[in-house]
Protein backbone atom coordinates (compact mmCIF):
# COMPACT_ATOMS: atom_id res chain seq x y z
CA UNK A 1 0.00 0.00 0.00
CA UNK A 2 1.45 3.32 -1.01
CA UNK A 3 0.48 6.21 1.27
CA UNK A 4 0.30 8.63 -1.65
CA UNK A 5 -2.37 6.37 -3.13
CA UNK A 6 -4.67 7.20 -0.22
CA UNK A 7 -5.04 10.83 -1.25
CA UNK A 8 -8.61 10.34 -2.44
CA UNK A 9 -9.80 8.01 0.28
CA UNK A 10 -13.00 9.24 1.84
CA UNK A 11 -13.21 9.67 5.58
CA UNK A 12 -15.65 6.80 6.12
CA UNK A 13 -13.43 4.44 4.15
CA UNK A 14 -10.52 5.28 6.45
CA UNK A 15 -12.47 4.20 9.52
CA UNK A 16 -14.01 1.17 7.78
CA UNK A 17 -10.70 -0.09 6.42
CA UNK A 18 -8.98 0.30 9.78
CA UNK A 19 -11.85 -1.49 11.51
CA UNK A 20 -11.88 -4.34 8.97
CA UNK A 21 -8.21 -5.08 9.63
CA UNK A 22 -8.71 -4.71 13.39
CA UNK A 23 -11.65 -7.13 13.34
CA UNK A 24 -9.46 -9.68 11.60
CA UNK A 25 -6.62 -8.93 14.04
CA UNK A 26 -4.42 -8.22 11.03
CA UNK A 27 -2.20 -5.20 11.60
CA UNK A 28 -0.43 -3.95 8.50
CA UNK A 29 2.20 -1.36 9.33
CA UNK A 30 2.30 0.47 6.01
CA UNK A 31 -1.47 0.53 5.69
CA UNK A 32 -2.07 1.76 9.24
CA UNK A 33 0.56 4.47 8.90
CA UNK A 34 -1.12 5.63 5.69
CA UNK A 35 -4.59 5.45 7.24
CA UNK A 36 -3.41 7.45 10.24
CA UNK A 37 -1.98 10.23 8.05
CA UNK A 38 -5.10 10.27 5.85
CA UNK A 39 -7.36 10.45 8.91
CA UNK A 40 -5.22 13.16 10.42
CA UNK A 41 -5.61 15.29 7.28
CA UNK A 42 -9.39 14.77 7.14
CA UNK A 43 -10.28 14.82 10.83
CA UNK A 44 -12.22 18.08 10.61
CA UNK A 45 -14.50 16.54 7.98
CA UNK A 46 -15.31 13.51 10.13
CA UNK A 47 -18.81 12.94 11.42
CA UNK A 48 -19.26 11.87 15.02
CA UNK A 49 -18.96 8.10 14.50
CA UNK A 50 -15.90 8.14 12.24
CA UNK A 51 -13.34 9.28 14.83
CA UNK A 52 -14.74 6.79 17.33
CA UNK A 53 -14.48 3.93 14.84
CA UNK A 54 -10.95 4.96 13.86
CA UNK A 55 -9.75 5.13 17.47
CA UNK A 56 -11.43 1.82 18.25
CA UNK A 57 -9.69 0.12 15.32
CA UNK A 58 -6.26 1.42 16.29
CA UNK A 59 -6.85 0.56 19.97
CA UNK A 60 -8.08 -2.94 19.13
CA UNK A 61 -4.74 -3.64 17.48
CA UNK A 62 -2.86 -1.80 20.24
CA UNK A 63 -1.53 0.50 17.54
CA UNK A 64 -0.83 3.91 19.11
CA UNK A 65 -0.36 6.78 16.74
CA UNK A 66 0.33 9.92 18.72
CA UNK A 67 -0.18 12.32 15.80
CA UNK A 68 -3.53 10.79 14.89
CA UNK A 69 -4.75 10.62 18.48
CA UNK A 70 -3.69 14.26 19.07
CA UNK A 71 -5.61 15.36 15.96
CA UNK A 72 -8.66 13.39 17.06
CA UNK A 73 -8.44 14.87 20.54
CA UNK A 74 -8.38 18.41 19.09
CA UNK A 75 -11.37 17.51 16.91
CA UNK A 76 -13.38 16.24 19.88
CA UNK A 77 -12.56 19.33 21.94
CA UNK A 78 -13.64 21.60 19.10
CA UNK A 79 -16.92 19.70 18.64
CA UNK A 80 -17.66 19.97 22.36
CA UNK A 81 -17.24 23.76 22.42
Amino acid sequence: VRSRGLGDVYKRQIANTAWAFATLKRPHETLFMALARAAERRVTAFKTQEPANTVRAFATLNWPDEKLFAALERYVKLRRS
Side-chain angles (χ1 to χ4, degrees):
V1 174
R2 295 184 320 233
S3 62
R4 66 183 168 161
L6 288 175
D8 295 325
V9 173
Y10 294 105
K11 56 195 181 301
R12 183 181 295 167
Q13 291 170 324
I14 294 167
N16 288 347
T17 301
W19 183 242
F21 276 78
T23 300
L24 295 171
K25 306 281 192 246
R26 297 286 186 191
H28 187 285
E29 183 175 358
T30 305
L31 174 65
F32 269 73
M33 288 173 54
L35 290 171
R37 299 296 71 82
E40 190 181 337
R41 286 190 304 273
R42 289 167 180 77
V43 71
T44 57
F46 275 2
K47 294 181 180 173
T48 306
Q49 193 63 40
E50 291 152 351
N53 291 348
T54 302
V55 167
R56 184 176 178 200
F58 277 74
T60 296
L61 290 173
N62 195 28
W63 195 283
D65 188 288
E66 290 183 28
K67 287 175 142 184
L68 172 61
F69 290 171
L72 290 168
E73 179 182 14
R74 286 190 302 273
Y75 165 81
V76 169
K77 287 180 179 179
L78 284 173
R79 297 271 311 204
R80 293 183 72 197
S81 354

